[in-house]
């Protein structure tokens, strides 16, 4: 499902009305009826309904809702901002007025004790901060026991998710035809509540070619495994990282790679990390790296790998960073660059970006917002509203795949595809969750997935394991080792059942 901004949605409206000749008032009727159906499914007609109607087409939707609910016997009161400014909305205003529905100026709403409030004030076109009466109305409306937004909560920017002064806190949002970016970008996502996407007859022919897509289905694709499989045919993942105090990070990545089906996993690290891993993880091979970078590179290339993970727990000593950069330029296998592998100071940024541009083999970058800031110069504060565009632009610029980790992770390909993973999970808010993700993605690469496929399916698998962990341990008591322990459940559940029947 596509995610649109305000300009894209407005363009699709115009195309449907002006080019295809579908009357706008018909779209307004369909929008209002979509909300009425959701109300009918949740509330009986004894429920008092207060509808806040603005002067534009969002208010017109509200008048349609008022008309149908009134005819169904609901006690309806409309609070409006005067005569609407669009012809379609004005016609629906007159229809409600003619039916004798209770109608009052907006300010009268402040004197009421509402039960079910419907916000049809501003919709997706709002771009100015709300203040004065509008701010008071939304604050009052947000205190009601039941709250429904038409298209998007008033006060939420539909393109960026930013709050324009104050916003309506909806329990339920019914949006028309396509979800909007503001429904899923923070902080707007917290004002959306349950989201229902209602078709109202807008033509898909006007869809922008590079609109981001919402990734809401978590059903993953699992690598096929032949009955003749052996360790050498299931991929070798080489994990480079780990340092004093951070050896756990590379262990998590390596263990996740093994759990996701890689036939061989090797950790290349310093002496202390290797010693601890050989005791704690006997399934993982280890390579102790010499201190000189040139010698370390020679050692690594004696271990031919199908995929490489660089950076988890690696440390930020200059010698380590230089080694990772040499490795990026030299390695021909696909690479997942994570954590300290992405680190650079501002003065080094152009040099690191230059290395990434020179790299010819497939590369996946898996930064969190602060690592993305160091790499691109886009501050964490300004990133969230523009991340869908920023991640796409940088993936194209660097000719790589980028997985920007976060509450809703963004995945972009070098070809301009952008997906937003809709799987927020506070149980994953623990150090090490990202190392597990790097291991999952690296394992899928080693088993033959291309980089975008590995990134997308890896994020799904990670999210699913996190969901199981959350169900078992709650939001507070999960952790990366528990997360890894649930990976096998995902692979067993989603492996084609015919595979087992045919063995």
């Amino acid at each position: 499902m596509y995610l649109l901004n305000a300009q894209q949605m407005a363009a699709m409206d115009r195309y449907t009305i002006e080019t295809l000749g579908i009357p706008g008032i018909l779209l307004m009727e369909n929008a209002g009826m979509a909300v009425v159906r959701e109300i009918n499914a949740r509330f009986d007609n004894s429920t008092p309904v207060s509808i806040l109607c603005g002067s534009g087409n969002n208010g017109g939707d509200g008048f349609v809702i008022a008309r149908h609910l009134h005819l169904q016997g609901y006690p309806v009161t409309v609070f409006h901002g005067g005569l609407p400014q669009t012809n379609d909305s004005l016609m629906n205003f007159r229809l409600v007025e003619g039916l004798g529905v209770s109608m009052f100026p907006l300010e009268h709403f402040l004197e009421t004790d509402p039960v079910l409030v419907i916000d049809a004030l501003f919709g997706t076109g709002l771009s100015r901060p709300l203040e004065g009466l509008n701010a008071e109305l939304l604050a009052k409306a947000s205190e009601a026991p039941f709250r429904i937004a038409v298209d998007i909560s008033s006060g939420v920017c539909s393109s960026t998710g930013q709050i324009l002064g104050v916003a309506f806190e909806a329990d339920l949002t019914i949006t028309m035809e396509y979800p909007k970016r503001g429904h899923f970008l923070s902080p707007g996502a917290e004002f959306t509540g349950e989201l229902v996407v209602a078709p109202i007859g807008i033509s898909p022919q006007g869809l922008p070619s590079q609109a981001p897509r919402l990734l809401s289905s978590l059903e993953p694709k699992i690598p096929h495994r032949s009955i003749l499989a052996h360790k050498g045919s299931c991929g070798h993942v080489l994990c480079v990282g780990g340092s004093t105090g951070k050896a756990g990070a590379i262990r998590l990545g390596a263990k996740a790679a093994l759990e996701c089906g890689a036939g061989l996993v090797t950790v290349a690290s310093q002496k202390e990390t290797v010693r601890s891993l050989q005791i704690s993880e006997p399934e993982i091979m280890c390579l102790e790296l010499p201190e000189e970078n040139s010698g370390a590179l020679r050692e690594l290339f004696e271990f031919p790998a199908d995929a490489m993970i660089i950076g988890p727990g690696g440390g930020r000593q200059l010698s380590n960073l230089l080694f990772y950069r040499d490795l990026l330029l030299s390695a021909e296998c696909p690479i997942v660059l994570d954590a300290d592998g992405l680190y650079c100071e501002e003065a080094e940024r152009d040099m690191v970006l230059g290395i990434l541009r020179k790299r010819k083999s497939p590369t996946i970058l898996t930064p969190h917002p602060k690592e993305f800031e160091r790499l691109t110069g886009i501050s964490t504060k300004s990133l969230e509203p523009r991340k869908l565009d920023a991640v796409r632009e940088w993936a194209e610029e660097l000719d790589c795949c980028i997985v920007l980790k976060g509450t809703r992770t963004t995945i972009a390909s070098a070809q301009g595809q952008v997906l937003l993973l809709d799987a927020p999970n506070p149980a994953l808010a623990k150090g090490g969750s990202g190392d597990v993700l790097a291991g999952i993605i690296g394992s899928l690469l080693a088993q033959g997935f291309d980089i975008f496929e590995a990134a997308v399916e890896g994020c799904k698998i990670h999210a699913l394991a996190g969901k199981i962990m959350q169900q078992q341990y709650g939001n507070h008591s999960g952790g990366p080792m528990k997360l890894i322990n649930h990976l096998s459940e995902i692979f067993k559940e989603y492996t084609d059942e015919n595979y087992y029947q045919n063995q």
Side-chain angles (χ1 to χ4, degrees), residues 44-97:
D44 63 44
N45 67 357
S46 66
T47 307
V49 182
S50 301
I51 306 177
L52 305 179
C53 294
S55 58
N57 284 334
N58 195 243
D61 297 342
F63 295 128
V64 172
I65 296 164
R67 170 164 46 91
H68 284 282
L69 291 180
H70 173 77
L71 292 172
Q72 292 176 11
Y74 286 81
V76 175
T77 306
V78 172
F79 299 91
H80 62 87
L83 289 178
Q85 297 174 358
T86 69
N87 291 333
D88 294 341
S89 189
L90 180 59
M91 178 176 288
N92 278 297
F93 175 92
R94 295 298 188 199
L95 290 172
V96 173
E97 191 178 44

Short mmCIF file of all heavy atoms in Angstrom, two decimals, residues 44-97:
data_model
loop_
_atom_site.label_atom_id
_atom_site.label_comp_id
_atom_site.label_asym_id
_atom_site.label_seq_id
_atom_site.Cartn_x
_atom_site.Cartn_y
_atom_site.Cartn_z
N ASP A 44 -24.04 1.96 18.73
CA ASP A 44 -25.46 1.91 18.37
C ASP A 44 -25.99 3.34 18.24
O ASP A 44 -25.33 4.31 18.62
CB ASP A 44 -26.26 1.08 19.37
CG ASP A 44 -26.25 1.67 20.78
OD1 ASP A 44 -26.41 2.90 20.92
OD2 ASP A 44 -26.06 0.89 21.74
N ASN A 45 -27.21 3.44 17.71
CA ASN A 45 -27.71 4.79 17.36
C ASN A 45 -28.27 5.56 18.55
O ASN A 45 -28.89 6.61 18.37
CB ASN A 45 -28.73 4.71 16.23
CG ASN A 45 -30.02 4.00 16.65
OD1 ASN A 45 -30.12 3.51 17.78
ND2 ASN A 45 -30.98 3.94 15.74
N SER A 46 -27.99 5.06 19.76
CA SER A 46 -28.30 5.89 20.93
C SER A 46 -27.11 6.75 21.35
O SER A 46 -27.24 7.57 22.26
CB SER A 46 -28.72 4.99 22.10
OG SER A 46 -27.62 4.18 22.53
N THR A 47 -25.97 6.57 20.68
CA THR A 47 -24.74 7.28 21.05
C THR A 47 -24.79 8.72 20.57
O THR A 47 -24.93 8.98 19.37
CB THR A 47 -23.51 6.59 20.43
OG1 THR A 47 -23.52 5.20 20.77
CG2 THR A 47 -22.23 7.24 20.92
N PRO A 48 -24.66 9.69 21.46
CA PRO A 48 -24.62 11.10 21.04
C PRO A 48 -23.34 11.38 20.23
O PRO A 48 -22.24 10.98 20.64
CB PRO A 48 -24.62 11.89 22.35
CG PRO A 48 -25.09 10.91 23.39
CD PRO A 48 -24.63 9.57 22.93
N VAL A 49 -23.50 12.06 19.11
CA VAL A 49 -22.37 12.32 18.21
C VAL A 49 -22.19 13.82 18.03
O VAL A 49 -23.14 14.53 17.65
CB VAL A 49 -22.58 11.66 16.83
CG1 VAL A 49 -21.36 11.90 15.94
CG2 VAL A 49 -22.85 10.16 16.98
N SER A 50 -20.99 14.31 18.31
CA SER A 50 -20.64 15.71 18.06
C SER A 50 -19.67 15.75 16.89
O SER A 50 -18.63 15.07 16.91
CB SER A 50 -19.98 16.33 19.30
OG SER A 50 -20.84 16.26 20.41
N ILE A 51 -19.99 16.53 15.85
CA ILE A 51 -19.16 16.59 14.65
C ILE A 51 -18.62 18.00 14.49
O ILE A 51 -19.40 18.96 14.38
CB ILE A 51 -19.95 16.16 13.40
CG1 ILE A 51 -20.59 14.78 13.63
CG2 ILE A 51 -19.03 16.13 12.18
CD1 ILE A 51 -21.46 14.29 12.48
N LEU A 52 -17.29 18.13 14.48
CA LEU A 52 -16.64 19.43 14.25
C LEU A 52 -16.33 19.55 12.77
O LEU A 52 -15.54 18.77 12.22
CB LEU A 52 -15.35 19.51 15.07
CG LEU A 52 -15.47 19.28 16.58
CD1 LEU A 52 -14.10 19.38 17.24
CD2 LEU A 52 -16.45 20.25 17.21
N CYS A 53 -16.95 20.52 12.10
CA CYS A 53 -16.80 20.67 10.65
C CYS A 53 -16.09 21.97 10.30
O CYS A 53 -16.54 23.06 10.70
CB CYS A 53 -18.17 20.65 9.97
SG CYS A 53 -19.02 19.06 10.09
N GLY A 54 -15.02 21.87 9.54
CA GLY A 54 -14.32 23.04 9.05
C GLY A 54 -14.98 23.59 7.81
O GLY A 54 -16.04 23.13 7.38
N SER A 55 -14.32 24.56 7.19
CA SER A 55 -14.93 25.25 6.05
C SER A 55 -14.51 24.69 4.70
O SER A 55 -14.96 25.16 3.66
CB SER A 55 -14.57 26.74 6.10
OG SER A 55 -13.15 26.89 6.11
N GLY A 56 -13.66 23.64 4.71
CA GLY A 56 -13.21 23.05 3.45
C GLY A 56 -13.87 21.71 3.19
O GLY A 56 -14.93 21.39 3.75
N ASN A 57 -13.22 20.90 2.34
CA ASN A 57 -13.82 19.62 1.97
C ASN A 57 -13.81 18.60 3.10
O ASN A 57 -14.64 17.69 3.11
CB ASN A 57 -13.10 19.04 0.74
CG ASN A 57 -13.51 19.75 -0.54
OD1 ASN A 57 -14.60 20.32 -0.62
ND2 ASN A 57 -12.64 19.74 -1.53
N ASN A 58 -12.89 18.72 4.06
CA ASN A 58 -12.93 17.83 5.21
C ASN A 58 -14.21 18.09 6.00
O ASN A 58 -14.87 17.15 6.46
CB ASN A 58 -11.69 18.05 6.08
CG ASN A 58 -11.47 16.95 7.09
OD1 ASN A 58 -11.50 17.18 8.30
ND2 ASN A 58 -11.21 15.73 6.64
N GLY A 59 -14.57 19.36 6.12
CA GLY A 59 -15.84 19.70 6.75
C GLY A 59 -17.01 19.16 5.95
O GLY A 59 -18.03 18.72 6.52
N GLY A 60 -16.89 19.15 4.62
CA GLY A 60 -17.94 18.58 3.77
C GLY A 60 -18.16 17.12 4.08
O GLY A 60 -19.30 16.63 4.14
N ASP A 61 -17.05 16.37 4.28
CA ASP A 61 -17.18 14.97 4.70
C ASP A 61 -17.98 14.89 6.00
O ASP A 61 -18.82 14.00 6.18
CB ASP A 61 -15.80 14.34 4.91
CG ASP A 61 -14.96 14.27 3.65
OD1 ASP A 61 -15.52 14.38 2.55
OD2 ASP A 61 -13.72 14.10 3.78
N GLY A 62 -17.69 15.82 6.91
CA GLY A 62 -18.39 15.84 8.19
C GLY A 62 -19.89 16.06 8.03
O GLY A 62 -20.70 15.43 8.74
N PHE A 63 -20.29 16.93 7.08
CA PHE A 63 -21.72 17.17 6.85
C PHE A 63 -22.40 15.92 6.28
O PHE A 63 -23.55 15.62 6.63
CB PHE A 63 -21.92 18.37 5.93
CG PHE A 63 -21.45 19.68 6.52
CD1 PHE A 63 -20.57 20.49 5.82
CD2 PHE A 63 -21.90 20.08 7.77
CE1 PHE A 63 -20.14 21.69 6.37
CE2 PHE A 63 -21.47 21.28 8.32
CZ PHE A 63 -20.58 22.09 7.61
N VAL A 64 -21.69 15.19 5.41
CA VAL A 64 -22.24 13.93 4.89
C VAL A 64 -22.46 12.95 6.04
O VAL A 64 -23.51 12.29 6.13
CB VAL A 64 -21.30 13.32 3.83
CG1 VAL A 64 -21.78 11.92 3.43
CG2 VAL A 64 -21.20 14.21 2.60
N ILE A 65 -21.48 12.85 6.92
CA ILE A 65 -21.58 11.96 8.08
C ILE A 65 -22.78 12.36 8.93
O ILE A 65 -23.58 11.51 9.36
CB ILE A 65 -20.29 12.01 8.92
CG1 ILE A 65 -19.11 11.49 8.10
CG2 ILE A 65 -20.44 11.20 10.21
CD1 ILE A 65 -17.75 11.86 8.69
N ALA A 66 -22.92 13.65 9.18
CA ALA A 66 -24.03 14.15 10.01
C ALA A 66 -25.38 13.77 9.39
O ALA A 66 -26.30 13.33 10.11
CB ALA A 66 -23.91 15.65 10.17
N ARG A 67 -25.51 13.95 8.08
CA ARG A 67 -26.78 13.65 7.40
C ARG A 67 -27.17 12.18 7.57
O ARG A 67 -28.29 11.85 7.95
CB ARG A 67 -26.67 14.04 5.93
CG ARG A 67 -27.83 13.56 5.07
CD ARG A 67 -27.88 14.28 3.73
NE ARG A 67 -26.59 14.36 3.09
CZ ARG A 67 -26.11 13.45 2.22
NH1 ARG A 67 -26.82 12.37 1.95
NH2 ARG A 67 -24.94 13.63 1.64
N HIS A 68 -26.23 11.29 7.29
CA HIS A 68 -26.56 9.86 7.34
C HIS A 68 -26.79 9.38 8.76
O HIS A 68 -27.71 8.58 9.01
CB HIS A 68 -25.45 9.06 6.67
CG HIS A 68 -25.48 9.14 5.18
ND1 HIS A 68 -26.37 8.41 4.42
CD2 HIS A 68 -24.75 9.88 4.30
CE1 HIS A 68 -26.18 8.69 3.13
NE2 HIS A 68 -25.19 9.58 3.04
N LEU A 69 -26.00 9.86 9.72
CA LEU A 69 -26.22 9.43 11.10
C LEU A 69 -27.56 9.95 11.62
O LEU A 69 -28.28 9.25 12.34
CB LEU A 69 -25.07 9.92 11.99
CG LEU A 69 -23.70 9.26 11.77
CD1 LEU A 69 -22.67 9.85 12.74
CD2 LEU A 69 -23.77 7.75 11.94
N HIS A 70 -27.90 11.18 11.25
CA HIS A 70 -29.20 11.74 11.66
C HIS A 70 -30.34 10.89 11.11
O HIS A 70 -31.29 10.57 11.85
CB HIS A 70 -29.31 13.18 11.15
CG HIS A 70 -30.66 13.79 11.35
ND1 HIS A 70 -31.09 14.26 12.57
CD2 HIS A 70 -31.70 13.99 10.48
CE1 HIS A 70 -32.31 14.75 12.46
NE2 HIS A 70 -32.71 14.58 11.20
N LEU A 71 -30.24 10.50 9.83
CA LEU A 71 -31.31 9.69 9.22
C LEU A 71 -31.38 8.30 9.84
O LEU A 71 -32.43 7.65 9.79
CB LEU A 71 -31.07 9.59 7.71
CG LEU A 71 -31.25 10.90 6.93
CD1 LEU A 71 -30.81 10.73 5.49
CD2 LEU A 71 -32.69 11.38 7.00
N GLN A 72 -30.28 7.85 10.43
CA GLN A 72 -30.26 6.53 11.09
C GLN A 72 -30.70 6.62 12.55
O GLN A 72 -30.72 5.61 13.25
CB GLN A 72 -28.86 5.93 11.01
CG GLN A 72 -28.44 5.54 9.60
CD GLN A 72 -26.99 5.04 9.54
OE1 GLN A 72 -26.37 4.80 10.58
NE2 GLN A 72 -26.46 4.90 8.35
N GLY A 73 -31.01 7.80 13.02
CA GLY A 73 -31.53 7.94 14.37
C GLY A 73 -30.52 8.31 15.43
O GLY A 73 -30.87 8.39 16.62
N TYR A 74 -29.30 8.57 15.06
CA TYR A 74 -28.30 9.01 16.05
C TYR A 74 -28.61 10.44 16.48
O TYR A 74 -29.01 11.28 15.64
CB TYR A 74 -26.90 8.99 15.44
CG TYR A 74 -26.27 7.64 15.25
CD1 TYR A 74 -26.61 6.85 14.15
CD2 TYR A 74 -25.33 7.15 16.16
CE1 TYR A 74 -26.02 5.60 13.95
CE2 TYR A 74 -24.74 5.91 15.97
CZ TYR A 74 -25.10 5.13 14.86
OH TYR A 74 -24.51 3.91 14.68
N PRO A 75 -28.44 10.76 17.76
CA PRO A 75 -28.52 12.16 18.19
C PRO A 75 -27.25 12.91 17.75
O PRO A 75 -26.17 12.71 18.33
CB PRO A 75 -28.63 12.07 19.71
CG PRO A 75 -28.12 10.72 20.08
CD PRO A 75 -28.26 9.83 18.89
N VAL A 76 -27.37 13.73 16.74
CA VAL A 76 -26.21 14.38 16.10
C VAL A 76 -26.24 15.88 16.36
O VAL A 76 -27.30 16.53 16.21
CB VAL A 76 -26.20 14.12 14.58
CG1 VAL A 76 -25.06 14.90 13.92
CG2 VAL A 76 -26.08 12.63 14.29
N THR A 77 -25.10 16.43 16.72
CA THR A 77 -24.94 17.88 16.81
C THR A 77 -23.73 18.27 15.97
O THR A 77 -22.65 17.69 16.11
CB THR A 77 -24.72 18.34 18.26
OG1 THR A 77 -25.77 17.84 19.08
CG2 THR A 77 -24.69 19.85 18.34
N VAL A 78 -23.92 19.26 15.10
CA VAL A 78 -22.85 19.75 14.23
C VAL A 78 -22.37 21.10 14.75
O VAL A 78 -23.18 22.00 15.04
CB VAL A 78 -23.32 19.88 12.77
CG1 VAL A 78 -22.26 20.57 11.91
CG2 VAL A 78 -23.68 18.52 12.20
N PHE A 79 -21.04 21.23 14.86
CA PHE A 79 -20.42 22.51 15.21
C PHE A 79 -19.58 22.94 14.01
O PHE A 79 -18.68 22.20 13.57
CB PHE A 79 -19.55 22.34 16.46
CG PHE A 79 -20.34 21.88 17.66
CD1 PHE A 79 -20.49 20.53 17.94
CD2 PHE A 79 -20.95 22.81 18.50
CE1 PHE A 79 -21.23 20.11 19.03
CE2 PHE A 79 -21.69 22.39 19.61
CZ PHE A 79 -21.83 21.03 19.87
N HIS A 80 -19.87 24.09 13.45
CA HIS A 80 -19.28 24.48 12.17
C HIS A 80 -18.67 25.87 12.23
O HIS A 80 -18.96 26.67 13.13
CB HIS A 80 -20.33 24.41 11.06
CG HIS A 80 -21.47 25.36 11.27
ND1 HIS A 80 -21.44 26.67 10.84
CD2 HIS A 80 -22.68 25.19 11.88
CE1 HIS A 80 -22.57 27.27 11.17
NE2 HIS A 80 -23.34 26.40 11.80
N GLY A 81 -17.83 26.15 11.25
CA GLY A 81 -17.15 27.44 11.18
C GLY A 81 -17.79 28.42 10.24
O GLY A 81 -17.10 29.26 9.66
N GLY A 82 -19.11 28.33 10.04
CA GLY A 82 -19.80 29.22 9.11
C GLY A 82 -20.00 28.56 7.77
O GLY A 82 -19.79 27.35 7.60
N LEU A 83 -20.40 29.33 6.77
CA LEU A 83 -20.67 28.77 5.44
C LEU A 83 -19.39 28.22 4.84
O LEU A 83 -18.34 28.88 4.83
CB LEU A 83 -21.25 29.85 4.52
CG LEU A 83 -22.68 30.30 4.82
CD1 LEU A 83 -23.09 31.40 3.85
CD2 LEU A 83 -23.65 29.12 4.73
N PRO A 84 -19.43 26.97 4.32
CA PRO A 84 -18.24 26.36 3.72
C PRO A 84 -17.75 27.14 2.51
O PRO A 84 -18.52 27.84 1.84
CB PRO A 84 -18.72 24.96 3.33
CG PRO A 84 -19.88 24.69 4.23
CD PRO A 84 -20.55 26.03 4.42
N GLN A 85 -16.47 26.95 2.19
CA GLN A 85 -15.83 27.70 1.11
C GLN A 85 -15.80 26.94 -0.21
O GLN A 85 -15.35 27.48 -1.22
CB GLN A 85 -14.40 28.07 1.53
CG GLN A 85 -14.35 28.99 2.74
CD GLN A 85 -12.94 29.23 3.24
OE1 GLN A 85 -11.98 28.68 2.71
NE2 GLN A 85 -12.81 30.04 4.28
N THR A 86 -16.19 25.67 -0.23
CA THR A 86 -16.23 24.92 -1.49
C THR A 86 -17.67 24.57 -1.82
O THR A 86 -18.51 24.39 -0.93
CB THR A 86 -15.40 23.62 -1.39
OG1 THR A 86 -16.06 22.70 -0.50
CG2 THR A 86 -14.00 23.89 -0.88
N ASN A 87 -17.96 24.46 -3.12
CA ASN A 87 -19.34 24.21 -3.55
C ASN A 87 -19.87 22.88 -3.04
O ASN A 87 -21.03 22.79 -2.62
CB ASN A 87 -19.42 24.27 -5.08
CG ASN A 87 -19.21 25.67 -5.62
OD1 ASN A 87 -19.48 26.66 -4.92
ND2 ASN A 87 -18.72 25.78 -6.84
N ASP A 88 -19.04 21.85 -3.10
CA ASP A 88 -19.50 20.52 -2.66
C ASP A 88 -19.82 20.53 -1.18
O ASP A 88 -20.83 19.96 -0.74
CB ASP A 88 -18.43 19.46 -2.95
CG ASP A 88 -18.20 19.26 -4.44
OD1 ASP A 88 -19.08 19.65 -5.23
OD2 ASP A 88 -17.14 18.71 -4.80
N SER A 89 -18.96 21.15 -0.41
CA SER A 89 -19.18 21.22 1.03
C SER A 89 -20.41 22.07 1.35
O SER A 89 -21.20 21.73 2.25
CB SER A 89 -17.94 21.79 1.71
OG SER A 89 -18.04 21.68 3.10
N LEU A 90 -20.61 23.17 0.60
CA LEU A 90 -21.76 24.04 0.83
C LEU A 90 -23.07 23.30 0.56
O LEU A 90 -24.04 23.43 1.31
CB LEU A 90 -21.66 25.27 -0.05
CG LEU A 90 -22.80 26.28 0.07
CD1 LEU A 90 -22.93 26.81 1.51
CD2 LEU A 90 -22.60 27.44 -0.91
N MET A 91 -23.07 22.48 -0.50
CA MET A 91 -24.29 21.73 -0.81
C MET A 91 -24.63 20.77 0.34
O MET A 91 -25.80 20.66 0.75
CB MET A 91 -24.12 20.94 -2.11
CG MET A 91 -25.34 20.10 -2.47
SD MET A 91 -25.18 19.25 -4.05
CE MET A 91 -25.34 20.65 -5.17
N ASN A 92 -23.62 20.10 0.89
CA ASN A 92 -23.89 19.18 1.99
C ASN A 92 -24.27 19.91 3.27
O ASN A 92 -25.05 19.41 4.07
CB ASN A 92 -22.67 18.27 2.20
CG ASN A 92 -22.67 17.10 1.23
OD1 ASN A 92 -23.57 16.27 1.25
ND2 ASN A 92 -21.66 17.04 0.36
N PHE A 93 -23.74 21.12 3.45
CA PHE A 93 -24.14 21.96 4.58
C PHE A 93 -25.64 22.26 4.48
O PHE A 93 -26.38 22.15 5.47
CB PHE A 93 -23.32 23.25 4.55
CG PHE A 93 -23.71 24.27 5.58
CD1 PHE A 93 -23.09 24.29 6.83
CD2 PHE A 93 -24.69 25.22 5.32
CE1 PHE A 93 -23.44 25.25 7.79
CE2 PHE A 93 -25.05 26.17 6.27
CZ PHE A 93 -24.42 26.18 7.50
N ARG A 94 -26.09 22.65 3.28
CA ARG A 94 -27.50 22.99 3.08
C ARG A 94 -28.40 21.79 3.32
O ARG A 94 -29.50 21.91 3.87
CB ARG A 94 -27.71 23.53 1.67
CG ARG A 94 -27.01 24.85 1.38
CD ARG A 94 -27.50 25.95 2.28
NE ARG A 94 -26.97 27.27 1.88
CZ ARG A 94 -26.93 28.33 2.66
NH1 ARG A 94 -27.36 28.23 3.91
NH2 ARG A 94 -26.47 29.47 2.22
N LEU A 95 -27.95 20.59 2.90
CA LEU A 95 -28.75 19.39 3.11
C LEU A 95 -28.93 19.09 4.59
O LEU A 95 -30.02 18.74 5.04
CB LEU A 95 -28.08 18.19 2.41
CG LEU A 95 -28.11 18.20 0.88
CD1 LEU A 95 -27.26 17.05 0.34
CD2 LEU A 95 -29.54 18.08 0.36
N VAL A 96 -27.86 19.23 5.36
CA VAL A 96 -27.94 18.99 6.81
C VAL A 96 -28.84 20.04 7.46
O VAL A 96 -29.68 19.73 8.32
CB VAL A 96 -26.53 19.02 7.43
CG1 VAL A 96 -26.60 18.95 8.95
CG2 VAL A 96 -25.71 17.85 6.91
N GLU A 97 -28.68 21.27 7.02
CA GLU A 97 -29.50 22.36 7.54
C GLU A 97 -30.98 22.11 7.27
O GLU A 97 -31.84 22.29 8.15
CB GLU A 97 -29.05 23.66 6.88
CG GLU A 97 -29.60 24.92 7.50
CD GLU A 97 -29.04 26.16 6.80
OE1 GLU A 97 -28.97 26.17 5.54
OE2 GLU A 97 -28.65 27.11 7.51
#
